[in-house]
Amino acid sequence: GAGVSQSPSNKVTEKGKDVELRCDPISGHTALYWYRQSLGQGLEFLIYFQGNSAPDKSGLPSDRFSAERTGGSVSTLTIQRTQQEDSAVYLCASSSPGTSNFSQYFGPGTRLTVT
Amino acid sequence: QKEVEQDPGPLSVPEGAIVSLNCTYSNSAFQYFMWYRQYSRKGPELLMYTYSSGNKEDGRFTAQVDKSSKYISLFIRDSQPSDSATYLCAARPGLNKFYFGSGTKLNVKP
Protein backbone atom coordinates (compact mmCIF):
# COMPACT_ATOMS: atom_id res chain seq x y z
CA GLY A 1 0.00 0.00 0.00
CA ALA A 2 0.99 3.65 -0.30
CA GLY A 3 3.26 5.08 2.33
CA VAL A 4 3.43 8.62 3.70
CA SER A 5 3.90 11.16 0.95
CA GLN A 6 5.14 14.71 1.22
CA SER A 7 5.23 17.58 -1.21
CA PRO A 8 7.15 19.35 -2.48
CA SER A 9 10.29 17.26 -2.15
CA ASN A 10 12.42 20.38 -2.39
CA LYS A 11 11.54 24.01 -1.82
CA VAL A 12 13.76 27.04 -2.23
CA THR A 13 12.32 30.29 -1.01
CA GLU A 14 13.47 33.79 -0.27
CA LYS A 15 13.76 35.07 3.25
CA GLY A 16 10.50 36.64 4.36
CA LYS A 17 8.24 34.55 2.14
CA ASP A 18 5.61 32.13 3.43
CA VAL A 19 5.79 28.41 2.59
CA GLU A 20 3.34 25.53 2.86
CA LEU A 21 4.46 21.93 3.19
CA ARG A 22 2.03 19.10 2.65
CA CYS A 23 1.79 15.64 4.17
CA ASP A 24 -0.45 12.76 3.10
CA PRO A 25 -0.42 10.11 5.85
CA ILE A 26 -1.06 6.42 5.43
CA SER A 27 -4.79 5.80 5.04
CA GLY A 28 -6.41 4.99 8.37
CA HIS A 29 -3.58 6.31 10.51
CA THR A 30 -5.05 8.55 13.17
CA ALA A 31 -1.80 10.07 14.46
CA LEU A 32 0.32 12.48 12.45
CA TYR A 33 3.60 14.10 13.42
CA TRP A 34 5.78 16.84 12.02
CA TYR A 35 9.51 16.95 12.72
CA ARG A 36 12.38 19.15 11.65
CA GLN A 37 15.84 17.76 10.96
CA SER A 38 18.68 20.19 10.52
CA LEU A 39 22.01 19.16 8.99
CA GLY A 40 23.74 16.68 11.30
CA GLN A 41 20.99 16.98 13.91
CA GLY A 42 18.39 14.58 15.18
CA LEU A 43 14.67 14.92 14.79
CA GLU A 44 13.15 17.95 16.44
CA PHE A 45 9.48 17.41 17.31
CA LEU A 46 7.20 20.16 16.04
CA ILE A 47 3.55 19.14 16.35
CA TYR A 48 1.40 16.05 16.88
CA PHE A 49 -2.18 15.39 15.80
CA GLN A 50 -4.19 12.50 17.24
CA GLY A 51 -7.67 11.96 15.87
CA ASN A 52 -10.04 14.76 16.82
CA SER A 53 -8.09 15.79 19.90
CA ALA A 54 -6.46 19.18 20.21
CA PRO A 55 -2.99 18.99 18.65
CA ASP A 56 0.16 19.01 20.77
CA LYS A 57 1.90 22.14 19.52
CA SER A 58 4.58 22.19 22.19
CA GLY A 59 7.43 21.77 19.70
CA LEU A 60 6.63 24.67 17.38
CA PRO A 61 9.66 27.00 17.63
CA SER A 62 7.79 30.28 17.12
CA ASP A 63 4.43 31.72 16.19
CA ARG A 64 5.60 31.82 12.57
CA PHE A 65 4.96 28.08 12.48
CA SER A 66 1.49 26.60 12.29
CA ALA A 67 -0.08 23.37 11.13
CA GLU A 68 -3.49 22.04 10.45
CA ARG A 69 -4.98 18.72 9.62
CA THR A 70 -8.13 18.66 7.57
CA GLY A 71 -10.64 15.86 7.81
CA GLY A 72 -8.29 13.81 9.95
CA SER A 73 -6.08 13.11 6.96
CA VAL A 74 -3.91 15.55 5.00
CA SER A 75 -1.83 18.00 6.99
CA THR A 76 -0.22 21.29 6.02
CA LEU A 77 2.69 22.88 7.86
CA THR A 78 2.92 26.62 7.22
CA ILE A 79 5.96 28.75 7.93
CA GLN A 80 5.38 32.48 7.70
CA ARG A 81 8.07 35.08 7.06
CA THR A 82 10.73 32.41 6.58
CA GLN A 83 14.19 32.93 8.06
CA GLN A 84 17.48 31.33 7.04
CA GLU A 85 17.51 29.27 10.24
CA ASP A 86 14.30 27.61 9.03
CA SER A 87 16.36 25.78 6.38
CA ALA A 88 16.06 22.08 7.18
CA VAL A 89 14.36 18.86 6.15
CA TYR A 90 10.77 18.74 7.37
CA LEU A 91 9.60 15.19 7.98
CA CYS A 92 6.07 13.97 8.44
CA ALA A 93 5.16 10.65 10.01
CA SER A 94 1.94 8.82 10.77
CA SER A 95 1.02 5.98 13.04
CA SER A 96 -1.94 3.94 14.17
CA PRO A 97 -1.84 3.74 17.97
CA GLY A 98 -4.70 1.30 18.06
CA THR A 99 -2.61 -1.56 16.69
CA SER A 100 0.15 -3.59 18.28
CA ASN A 101 2.77 -1.83 16.22
CA PHE A 102 3.41 1.45 17.96
CA SER A 103 5.84 2.69 15.42
CA GLN A 104 5.50 5.57 13.06
CA TYR A 105 6.07 5.64 9.33
CA PHE A 106 7.97 8.52 7.81
CA GLY A 107 7.62 10.30 4.54
CA PRO A 108 10.67 11.21 2.45
CA GLY A 109 10.68 14.77 3.75
CA THR A 110 10.64 18.23 2.24
CA ARG A 111 14.04 19.90 1.99
CA LEU A 112 13.51 23.61 2.62
CA THR A 113 16.19 26.12 1.71
CA VAL A 114 15.70 29.76 2.66
CA THR A 115 18.00 32.10 0.74
CA GLN B 1 18.92 17.80 29.29
CA LYS B 2 17.38 16.05 26.30
CA GLU B 3 14.91 13.25 26.96
CA VAL B 4 16.97 10.82 24.86
CA GLU B 5 20.74 11.18 24.49
CA GLN B 6 22.76 9.51 21.75
CA ASP B 7 26.42 9.70 20.76
CA PRO B 8 26.48 11.25 17.26
CA GLY B 9 29.59 9.35 16.16
CA PRO B 10 30.60 8.92 13.41
CA LEU B 11 31.39 5.30 14.01
CA SER B 12 33.57 3.54 11.44
CA VAL B 13 34.00 -0.26 11.47
CA PRO B 14 35.30 -2.89 9.06
CA GLU B 15 32.88 -5.20 7.31
CA GLY B 16 31.96 -8.18 9.47
CA ALA B 17 32.44 -6.35 12.77
CA ILE B 18 29.91 -6.33 15.58
CA VAL B 19 28.47 -2.86 16.03
CA SER B 20 27.08 -1.54 19.31
CA LEU B 21 24.92 1.58 19.26
CA ASN B 22 23.65 3.08 22.49
CA CYS B 23 21.29 5.64 23.93
CA THR B 24 20.31 6.78 27.39
CA TYR B 25 17.03 8.31 28.45
CA SER B 26 15.83 10.25 31.44
CA ASN B 27 12.08 9.69 31.64
CA SER B 28 11.18 6.59 33.64
CA ALA B 29 7.68 6.69 32.10
CA PHE B 30 9.04 5.59 28.73
CA GLN B 31 7.63 2.17 27.86
CA TYR B 32 8.23 1.75 24.13
CA PHE B 33 11.63 1.86 22.51
CA MET B 34 12.51 1.94 18.85
CA TRP B 35 15.47 2.00 16.50
CA TYR B 36 15.26 3.69 13.12
CA ARG B 37 17.70 3.61 10.23
CA GLN B 38 18.04 6.63 7.99
CA TYR B 39 19.90 6.58 4.71
CA SER B 40 21.17 9.82 3.27
CA ARG B 41 18.38 12.04 1.93
CA LYS B 42 15.68 9.57 2.99
CA GLY B 43 13.14 9.49 5.81
CA PRO B 44 13.86 7.25 8.82
CA GLU B 45 12.58 3.67 8.59
CA LEU B 46 11.73 1.47 11.53
CA LEU B 47 14.26 -1.27 12.28
CA MET B 48 13.03 -2.68 15.56
CA TYR B 49 10.80 -1.84 18.47
CA THR B 50 10.55 -3.27 21.98
CA TYR B 51 8.23 -2.86 24.88
CA SER B 52 9.67 -2.42 28.39
CA SER B 53 12.90 -4.20 29.29
CA GLY B 54 14.52 -7.15 27.58
CA ASN B 55 16.01 -8.24 24.29
CA LYS B 56 14.55 -8.62 20.84
CA GLU B 57 16.35 -10.24 17.95
CA ASP B 58 15.67 -9.92 14.22
CA GLY B 59 18.25 -11.48 11.95
CA ARG B 60 21.55 -9.70 12.45
CA PHE B 61 19.98 -7.06 14.69
CA THR B 62 19.39 -7.24 18.44
CA ALA B 63 17.67 -4.50 20.43
CA GLN B 64 18.18 -4.38 24.16
CA VAL B 65 16.51 -2.24 26.81
CA ASP B 66 17.59 -1.97 30.43
CA LYS B 67 15.00 0.13 32.24
CA SER B 68 16.87 0.01 35.53
CA SER B 69 19.76 1.94 34.01
CA LYS B 70 17.65 3.72 31.34
CA TYR B 71 19.89 2.33 28.62
CA ILE B 72 18.92 1.37 25.04
CA SER B 73 21.22 -0.62 22.76
CA LEU B 74 21.25 -1.91 19.21
CA PHE B 75 23.72 -4.60 18.17
CA ILE B 76 24.47 -5.38 14.56
CA ARG B 77 26.28 -8.66 13.88
CA ASP B 78 28.32 -9.33 10.74
CA SER B 79 27.98 -5.71 9.68
CA GLN B 80 27.73 -5.00 5.97
CA PRO B 81 28.52 -1.89 3.90
CA SER B 82 24.77 -1.63 3.26
CA ASP B 83 24.33 -1.02 7.00
CA SER B 84 26.08 2.33 6.59
CA ALA B 85 23.47 4.86 7.64
CA THR B 86 22.43 7.02 10.57
CA TYR B 87 20.74 5.10 13.38
CA LEU B 88 18.23 6.89 15.56
CA CYS B 89 16.88 5.62 18.85
CA ALA B 90 13.45 6.71 20.05
CA ALA B 91 11.25 6.26 23.08
CA ARG B 92 7.69 7.03 24.05
CA PRO B 93 5.68 6.80 27.27
CA GLY B 94 2.51 5.56 25.64
CA LEU B 95 0.10 6.60 22.97
CA ASN B 96 1.56 10.02 22.33
CA LYS B 97 4.62 11.69 21.00
CA PHE B 98 8.00 10.15 20.36
CA TYR B 99 11.33 11.38 21.66
CA PHE B 100 14.31 10.84 19.38
CA GLY B 101 18.03 10.74 19.95
CA SER B 102 20.21 12.83 17.67
CA GLY B 103 21.36 9.79 15.66
CA THR B 104 24.67 7.93 15.28
CA LYS B 105 26.26 7.88 11.86
CA LEU B 106 27.68 4.44 11.05
CA ASN B 107 30.14 3.67 8.26
CA VAL B 108 30.93 0.04 7.49
CA LYS B 109 34.04 -0.21 5.34
CA PRO B 110 34.30 -3.04 2.80
Side-chain angles (χ1 to χ4, degrees):
Chain A
V4 177
S5 60
Q6 291 186 247
S7 60
S9 55
N10 284 282
K11 176 72 177 179
V12 181
T13 190
E14 292 179 351
K15 178 182 172 181
K17 301 278 190 182
D18 297 352
V19 295
E20 283 190 353
L21 311 179
R22 178 188 167 103
C23 172
D24 262 291
I26 293 173
S27 178
H29 279 193
T30 56
L32 187 147
Y33 308 76
W34 283 98
Y35 295 90
R36 179 168 70 177
Q37 188 173 35
S38 302
L39 187 62
Q41 301 296 311
L43 271 65
E44 176 188 1
F45 167 79
L46 296 177
I47 189 168
Y48 161 62
F49 296 90
Q50 172 53 56
N52 295 321
S53 303
D56 178 350
K57 303 179 182 180
S58 60
L60 294 178
S62 76
D63 58 7
R64 295 187 296 105
F65 288 72
S66 63
E68 61 178 26
R69 188 178 185 190
T70 53
S73 180
V74 171
S75 177
T76 303
L77 176 70
T78 301
I79 309 173
Q80 294 178 311
R81 305 181 302 283
T82 52
Q83 303 294 310
Q84 287 187 330
E85 61 262 29
D86 299 334
S87 296
V89 176
Y90 289 82
L91 289 159
C92 174
S94 69
S95 71
S96 181
T99 68
S100 60
N101 181 349
F102 291 97
S103 177
Q104 46 183 231
Y105 298 85
F106 283 85
T110 293
R111 185 173 297 274
L112 175 66
T113 303
V114 182
T115 61
Chain B
Q1 182 189 11
K2 287 187 67 175
E3 299 270 6
V4 179
E5 299 276 1
Q6 185 173 9
D7 186 337
L11 181 62
S12 187
V13 301
E15 183 175 355
I18 295 174
V19 176
S20 172
L21 303 168
N22 306 292
C23 294
T24 58
Y25 64 94
S26 56
N27 190 339
S28 58
F30 286 158
Q31 295 287 337
Y32 303 93
F33 305 92
M34 287 132 290
W35 284 95
Y36 287 81
R37 178 175 60 196
Q38 185 176 25
Y39 291 114
S40 181
R41 294 185 169 262
K42 301 285 187 184
E45 57 178 337
L46 176 70
L47 261 183
M48 301 184 70
Y49 68 95
T50 57
Y51 170 70
S52 194
S53 281
N55 292 359
K56 186 173 183 179
E57 190 173 317
D58 184 2
R60 298 185 294 111
F61 298 88
T62 300
Q64 192 172 78
V65 176
D66 183 345
K67 293 194 73 179
S68 62
S69 58
K70 298 188 177 66
Y71 206 75
I72 313 165
S73 300
L74 178 71
F75 300 96
I76 307 174
R77 291 183 298 280
D78 187 25
S79 56
Q80 303 295 309
S82 58
D83 295 329
S84 297
T86 296
Y87 290 80
L88 297 141
C89 61
R92 68 189 305 192
L95 299 181
N96 49 28
K97 72 184 186 187
F98 292 69
Y99 298 85
F100 281 84
S102 57
T104 299
K105 189 168 184 178
L106 171 66
N107 181 34
V108 180
K109 298 172 291 186

